[in-house]
Amino acid sequence: MNLRVSVCTITNFTHQISRKVLFKYSNRIRRLVFDGGITPMNLNRILGDCSKVEELSFTHEALGNENLLKSQKLRKYLEGFNNLTNLNLQFLRYPLGDPFSTDTNITFFLDTTFQHLQSFKFYYSVWGNWADLFLFLMRHVTTLNSIELQVGDRGDSSNTANYLREHDHTLLRNIIDITILRKLSFIEFRFRDDVLHVNPTVKNIIFDILSQQKTLEILHFHSPGDMTVTTLSRLVQANEKTLKELVVYNLQSFRPITNNNILEAEHHPQPQPERGGTLTEVDMRIFSKCSKMTVLALSCAPMPANNPNLHDTVPIHMVHMNSIPQALETFHLTGFKFISKDIVDLSHNLPNLRELLVMDAGKMKYSRILTNILKNCPRLEYLNVSPLKTRGSSSESWWFEVRELNKLYQRFMNIHYDPIDDLDGFEAHVSDMDREWIKDNMELHF
């Protein structure tokens, strides 16, 4: 293995190493990826040789061995890596097959201090490890600027609830120092936890950290119904000078107060409207000063069938859509309501738009929307709108809509439009020739 490499991926290394020199130029290796079985002895040997590594990654295939990380010599190697800035850890969703067990490998990493760590990626369930995770962040508060946490999916909901009944997570506030966590300053923050709503203590800490951010360039947040319009508005306004990419899935839809949920409303009061939106509106003027933003993807929380913690919800409407920054290249909307003419007018103000996705917007005059978007966005390469539920003020206007959509479907998808059963919607890759065809063959006036 006398290799001159800067990146090394190890997929299976369980046999005994007999060579004295493993890597002839080990000081050139900058990235190590462990993606398969490896013995503790071999792991120690490799890390001991590769002292100049800058990025270290472990997949769940490598971390499935519960005895892998018990060597104090290994901890010494890791804490002595002066060049290590990126650490990526992917654990099994259910550690050792038991969601209530503590994975010793998780504990090992979270108890280790990396002197120059800037980027940290941590995947999968952390029911019993939130305290260790927050303490880890506290120890790296002066160096970390990028974090990606994927720590629970919808299938974990009941197990998480059971765990919290047996382990009082309110004690977290006595273990951690929130004043230190508030000093974390991120350029990139990616977070996904589909069961955050059942863990209010952790939820409050996460949002406390987020509320202090002023220099975010990339923000991804995926947690059903936990991000409100008010919180989103504050975050955008606090980071408007730096934000380049904003992805928020499952923005909270609010419930009307009825006799059935008035008690819940008293115990969980909903935030009051503020600048940037109301309980049922997103005022897109919050993005007007985000001159660097090129990616914007927003979705509403799913309906109760897909998100049982929400009951009947009020749709969120988008207003002042013309305020979206002209630098935008990718724009995704799912589940919002808006006026058809607003998105047509918007198409005149997005000269750099390359990708547009609109899902579940309800019944509208889609032929005019599609036609104007295809014509007015000179750099558009990909358009996806679904489902297409046609609307007309009379039978004549309805048939006109169907005929126009049929022309688009045949041009771009080589199929006929089905007004009765169009679940897949309209999807097109767009060229300059297509834009010329639009001008010659489609009705452009709204």
Side-chain angles (χ1 to χ4, degrees):
M1 293 183 66
N2 293 333
L3 305 177
R4 301 185 184 188
V5 296
S6 61
V7 178
C8 182
T9 299
I10 298 167
T11 56
N12 189 11
F13 207 3
T14 56
H15 59 277
Q16 186 175 353
I17 301 173
S18 58
R19 298 179 63 91
K20 291 184 178 181
V21 178
L22 184 58
F23 299 101
K24 188 172 183 180
Y25 298 96
S26 59
N27 62 334
R28 296 185 180 183
I29 294 180
R30 295 294 179 263
R31 183 182 177 208
L32 270 175
V33 180
F34 294 95
D35 186 22
I38 187 170
T39 64
M41 183 177 296
N42 289 348
L43 178 63
N44 283 359
R45 175 74 183 278
I46 292 171
L47 293 181
D49 284 352
C50 302
S51 59
K52 301 295 184 182
V53 67
E54 297 173 358
E55 181 176 343
L56 188 59
S57 300
F58 288 85
T59 71
H60 65 85
E61 296 289 343
L63 294 172
N65 179 358
E66 61 179 309
N67 297 311
L68 183 63
L69 304 172
K70 292 187 175 180
S71 166
Q72 289 304 311
K73 182 183 291 187
L74 178 59
R75 189 186 301 278
K76 184 178 179 181
Y77 288 147
L78 293 174
E79 293 186 338
F81 282 167
N82 291 323
N83 296 331
L84 184 67
T85 57
N86 292 29
L87 179 63
N88 310 319
L89 305 175
Q90 183 189 77
F91 291 90
L92 291 169
R93 271 191 57 230
Y94 301 109
L96 311 179
D98 180 1
F100 292 95
S101 68
T102 299
D103 191 322
T104 56
N105 291 335
I106 293 179
T107 303
F108 178 91
F109 276 112
L110 295 182
D111 284 348
T112 302
T113 300
F114 303 88
Q115 298 300 325
H116 304 285
L117 190 66
Q118 297 177 20
S119 175
F120 180 51
K121 296 181 181 180
F122 187 91
Y123 288 7
Y124 301 141
S125 300
V126 292
W127 295 314
N129 295 95
W130 274 114
D132 290 338
L133 180 57
F134 285 133
L135 290 172
F136 178 89
L137 297 181
M138 287 169 55
R139 292 199 309 277
H140 298 87
V141 68
T142 60
T143 60
L144 269 180
N145 59 41
S146 175
I147 191 168
E148 181 173 348
L149 301 176
Q150 294 192 26
V151 290
D153 64 26
R154 193 179 304 160
D156 297 335
S157 183
S158 59
N159 284 323
T160 301
N162 291 336
Y163 184 91
L164 292 173
R165 276 194 288 269
E166 297 185 19
H167 301 79
D168 185 3
H169 257 77
T170 60
L171 297 177
L172 265 177
R173 290 283 183 176
N174 301 328
I175 298 173
I176 67 170
D177 188 338
I178 192 64
T179 61
I180 295 178
L181 289 174
R182 287 173 180 159
K183 294 178 181 178
L184 285 163
S185 180
F186 293 111
I187 295 174
E188 182 174 355
F189 189 98
R190 300 173 188 261
F191 181 84
R192 174 167 184 163
D193 186 351
D194 289 346
V195 293
L196 190 63
H197 61 275
V198 303
N199 198 340
T201 302
V202 170
K203 174 181 172 178
N204 289 338
I205 294 171
I206 293 295
F207 278 105
D208 206 336
I209 294 171
L210 268 178
S211 69
Q212 304 302 310
Q213 303 309 307
K214 309 295 183 190
T215 58
L216 284 172
E217 295 181 6
I218 298 174
L219 172 61
H220 287 210
F221 191 90
H222 186 147
S223 184
D226 288 310
M227 177 77 77
T228 66
V229 172
T230 300
T231 302
L232 174 66
S233 300
R234 290 173 177 169
L235 270 171
V236 171
Q237 290 163 13
N239 297 273
E240 60 188 11
K241 294 182 179 179
T242 55
L243 265 179
K244 298 178 180 178
E245 186 173 318
L246 176 66
V247 178
V248 177
Y249 291 113
N250 297 326
L251 191 66
Q252 186 179 108
S253 298
F254 289 94
R255 300 188 296 277
I257 295 180
T258 65
N259 290 334
N260 293 331
N261 65 15
I262 191 167
L263 182 63
E264 181 180 356
E266 290 174 354
H267 284 85
H268 303 282
Q270 298 183 16
Q272 297 301 308
E274 294 192 4
R275 185 171 71 88
T278 69
L279 297 183
T280 58
E281 283 187 354
V282 176
D283 188 337
M284 301 302 276
R285 286 179 295 187
I286 62 174
F287 300 107
S288 61
K289 295 182 181 180
C290 298
S291 59
K292 297 181 179 180
M293 184 175 289
T294 59
V295 176
L296 177 59
L298 301 173
S299 78
C300 289
M303 289 295 98
N306 297 318
N307 189 17
N309 65 306
L310 294 178
H311 303 293
D312 293 333
T313 56
V314 179
I316 296 180
H317 291 257
M318 286 194 162
V319 296
H320 301 296
M321 293 185 71
N322 265 337
S323 300
I324 294 174
Q326 291 192 352
L328 208 63
E329 297 178 6
T330 300
F331 189 26
H332 291 183
L333 293 178
T334 301
F336 294 95
K337 305 301 178 186
F338 48 82
I339 299 173
S340 303
K341 190 174 183 302
D342 284 353
I343 200 163
V344 170
D345 292 343
L346 175 65
S347 68
H348 292 279
N349 298 321
L350 294 178
N352 298 298
L353 189 67
R354 297 181 181 275
E355 179 174 312
L356 175 63
L357 183 146
V358 179
M359 298 287 185
D360 301 323
K363 290 186 177 181
M364 291 189 292
K365 293 183 178 179
Y366 281 106
S367 67
R368 303 293 177 83
I369 292 174
L370 296 176
T371 296
N372 281 274
I373 290 171
L374 288 165
K375 170 185 172 290
N376 298 332
C377 299
R379 296 189 179 181
L380 189 69
E381 298 173 356
Y382 178 74
L383 176 62
N384 191 332
V385 181
S386 69
L388 267 64
K389 299 179 181 178
T390 54
R391 181 176 67 84
S393 57
S394 66
S395 59
E396 182 180 347
S397 66
W398 185 84
W399 278 112
F400 174 84
E401 173 81 354
V402 171
R403 286 194 298 271
E404 292 293 285
L405 286 173
N406 197 47
K407 286 193 287 184
L408 288 170
Y409 270 62
Q410 290 189 53
R411 167 71 183 187
F412 290 94
M413 300 174 66
N414 199 30
I415 60 173
H416 290 281
Y417 170 65
D418 183 351
I420 306 301
D421 183 20
D422 181 63
L423 298 178
D424 295 330
F426 179 84
E427 183 177 18
H429 294 273
V430 189
S431 68
D432 289 336
M433 290 181 62
D434 294 322
R435 277 181 272 274
E436 290 299 319
W437 180 88
I438 290 287
K439 294 177 184 178
D440 296 337
N441 295 275
M442 299 299 294
E443 175 66 51
L444 296 173
H445 298 292
F446 202 83

